[in-house]
């Protein structure tokens, strides 16, 4: 968990430094405000964040909180501050939820004085919705991949296609009823009693049927390793659930001539959804799919096209992320200069793939 959290920390510092600076400035003002609340916004805070003079970083993340640093290029000083989470986290998804609520608190503090940061634009904070729905059907695709269909409460859902994904909000551990409604946000999450907070994780949409208003997701079954996996293993039709989103990351530029998709079981749903969209727009799209699987029994039917190549990489029963099969296959694959690569899988291996391609 600590290794994955450190990867998250590096990703945020490198790709979303403006968001991290906002959070660091907000955390710093909490130390000077009354009873842990943030101090009023100073004009210098706003100007520093706008100009980039105020630069923040996440120095460390663990189950109990994060350490941030905030500095000023002009004044040359740097402060390190500890932010404690509202409750100890038992998974990376718990930490992600704490980060979401912290970001919304920082946005509430600074208001419209600062334009949306890069991570906020990616999240479309304030525009994503919560859909309260229920399980309509459960069907096993492979021995360890389960399709769960959601129905009801989705009349206003608008599909954004591609690898669209949502945060699946589940009842708190040991409970069967949802503790959230359609008004849920990460700001409200922070205000909830820890015992009432939903658990969950991000999942991609395999298929959306606008005629029936039903939505399919694929869940990897790996025992009780995670609240969502444990839920998916036991869920029955009629079970309540909420979905927050959708968001998407898949965004190839218009100049793309070929596509490289790199996934393990956790990314099969996203890969098939992306292929559906690509082939609907261009039946002759050039795509190479590298798909890692535990063994042959885990293979799925993949949308086919005359220029779609699928390479199955069997781990021989080894756990996901425990072999170098994916990154080795990418290293052995010839790619065009204008290839667009999309990856979804075990974090450490996808990080290696990204580093190699860059």
């Amino acid at each position: 968990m600590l290794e994955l959290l450190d990867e998250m920390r590096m990703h945020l510092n490198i790709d979303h430094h403006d968001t991290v600076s906002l959070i660091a400035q907000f955390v710093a003002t909490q130390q000077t405000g009354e009873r842990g609340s943030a101090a009023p916004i100073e004009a210098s805070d706003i100007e520093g964040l706008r100009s980039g003079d105020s630069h923040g970083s996440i120095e460390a993340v663990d189950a109990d909180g994060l350490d941030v640093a905030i500095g000023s290029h002009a004044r040359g000083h740097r402060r390190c501050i500890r932010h404690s989470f509202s409750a100890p986290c038992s998974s990376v998804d718990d930490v992600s939820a704490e980060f979401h609520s912290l970001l919304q608190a920082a946005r509430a503090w600074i208001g419209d004085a600062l334009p949306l940061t890069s991570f906020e634009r990616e999240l479309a904070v304030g525009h994503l919705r919560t859909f309260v729905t229920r399980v309509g059907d459960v069907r096993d695709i492979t021995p360890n991949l389960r399709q769960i269909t959601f129905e009801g409460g989705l009349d206003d859902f608008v599909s954004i296609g591609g690898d669209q994904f949502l945060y699946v909000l589940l009842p708190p551990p040991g409970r069967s009823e949802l503790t959230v409604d359609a008004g849920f946000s990460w700001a409200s999450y922070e205000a909830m009693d820890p015992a009432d907070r939903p658990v969950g994780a991000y999942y991609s949409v395999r298929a959306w049927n606008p005629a029936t208003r039903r939505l399919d997701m694929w869940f990897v079954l790996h025992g009780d390793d995670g609240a969502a996996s444990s839920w998916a293993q036991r869920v029955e039709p009629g079970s309540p659930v909420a979905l927050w989103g959708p968001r998407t990351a898949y965004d190839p530029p218009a100049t793309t001539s070929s596509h490289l998709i790199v996934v393990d079981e956790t990314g099969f749903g996203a890969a098939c959804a992306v292929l559906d969209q690509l082939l609907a727009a261009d039946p002759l799209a050039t795509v190479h799919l590298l798909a890692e699987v535990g063994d042959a029994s885990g293979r799925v039917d993949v949308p086919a096209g005359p220029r779609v190549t699928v390479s199955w990489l069997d781990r021989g029963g080894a756990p996901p992320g425990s072999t170098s099969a994916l990154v080795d296959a990418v290293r052995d694959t010839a790619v065009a200069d204008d290839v667009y690569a999309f990856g979804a899988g075990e974090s450490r291996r996808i990080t290696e793939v990204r580093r190699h391609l860059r």
Side-chain angles (χ1 to χ4, degrees):
M1 176 176 167
L2 290 176
E3 186 177 346
L4 294 176
L5 289 178
D6 198 51
E7 290 179 9
M8 178 191 294
R9 177 189 68 83
M10 289 189 291
H11 164 65
L12 290 169
N13 283 339
I14 294 170
D15 296 331
H16 299 291
H17 56 88
D18 57 340
T19 306
V20 171
S21 293
L22 169 60
I23 285 176
Q25 186 68 64
F26 171 66
V27 170
T29 62
Q30 285 184 306
Q31 285 198 336
T32 56
E34 294 182 3
R35 298 182 180 179
S37 62
I41 305 170
E42 300 287 344
S44 58
D45 294 337
I46 298 171
E47 181 54 34
L49 290 168
R50 278 179 171 170
S51 66
D53 179 58
S54 294
H55 55 95
S57 63
I58 301 174
E59 300 294 297
V61 188
D62 55 46
D64 298 311
L66 51 84
D67 299 320
V68 299
I70 185 72
S72 167
H73 293 294
R75 294 188 292 273
H77 65 78
R78 186 171 173 83
R79 298 172 56 199
C80 291
I81 313 104
R82 175 72 174 177
H83 171 79
S84 297
F85 295 146
S86 57
C89 296
S90 59
S91 69
V92 174
D93 290 316
D94 289 346
V95 175
S96 178
E98 289 281 349
F99 181 82
H100 282 306
S101 62
L102 179 59
L103 176 56
Q104 288 215 357
R107 173 51 58 183
W109 168 70
I110 205 163
D112 296 330
L114 183 76
L116 293 181
T117 63
S118 58
F119 195 74
E120 289 176 296
R121 292 195 299 272
E122 186 177 297
L123 284 173
V125 169
H127 302 287
L128 301 185
R129 297 185 55 185
T130 300
F131 300 89
V132 177
T133 181
R134 63 181 177 273
V135 174
D137 187 38
V138 179
R139 181 171 68 91
D140 288 340
I141 306 296
T142 72
N144 71 334
L145 191 65
R146 175 165 292 176
Q147 177 171 292
I148 298 178
T149 300
F150 302 101
E151 64 181 17
L154 297 170
D155 288 349
D156 296 329
F157 180 81
V158 178
S159 173
I160 55 177
D163 71 319
Q164 63 182 331
F165 54 97
L166 301 102
Y167 199 95
V168 179
L169 296 157
L170 306 171
R175 295 162 70 173
S176 59
E177 295 301 319
L178 282 177
T179 54
V180 300
D181 58 21
F184 171 82
S185 70
W186 293 106
S188 61
Y189 175 95
E190 186 175 14
M192 295 174 73
D193 185 305
D196 293 333
R197 287 176 178 166
V199 295
Y202 282 111
Y203 282 88
S204 297
V205 174
R206 169 59 190 95
W208 163 248
N209 188 323
T212 63
R213 314 307 291 178
R214 287 161 61 98
L215 184 152
D216 298 332
M217 287 183 175
W218 286 359
F219 288 72
V220 177
L221 303 178
H222 40 79
D224 292 329
D225 184 16
S229 173
S230 178
W231 174 84
Q233 195 130 313
R234 300 171 176 81
V235 70
E236 296 179 353
S239 299
V241 65
L243 306 173
W244 180 74
R247 298 165 54 200
T248 183
Y250 175 78
D251 187 24
T255 56
T256 300
S257 66
S258 63
H259 301 259
L260 176 65
I261 302 176
V262 184
V263 295
D264 64 15
E265 293 94 330
T266 61
F268 284 0
C272 289
V274 165
L275 278 168
D276 281 341
Q277 178 173 297
L278 273 174
L279 295 173
D282 178 9
L284 298 179
T286 300
V287 187
H288 190 180
L289 170 64
L290 298 173
E292 182 188 285
V293 66
D295 56 47
S297 69
R299 299 184 183 186
V300 300
D301 292 332
V302 174
R307 294 182 183 173
V308 174
T309 303
V310 181
S311 299
W312 291 104
L313 312 170
D314 288 359
R315 293 190 304 271
S322 63
T323 76
S324 61
L326 270 181
V327 69
D328 290 344
V330 173
R331 287 178 177 137
D332 291 340
T333 299
V335 295
D337 289 340
D338 55 356
V339 68
Y340 182 81
F342 171 79
E346 198 276 331
S347 176
R348 286 166 293 187
R349 297 310 179 196
I350 294 299
T351 296
E352 291 180 51
V353 168
R354 182 171 61 242
R355 287 172 178 164
H356 169 73
L357 289 174
R358 282 181 173 172

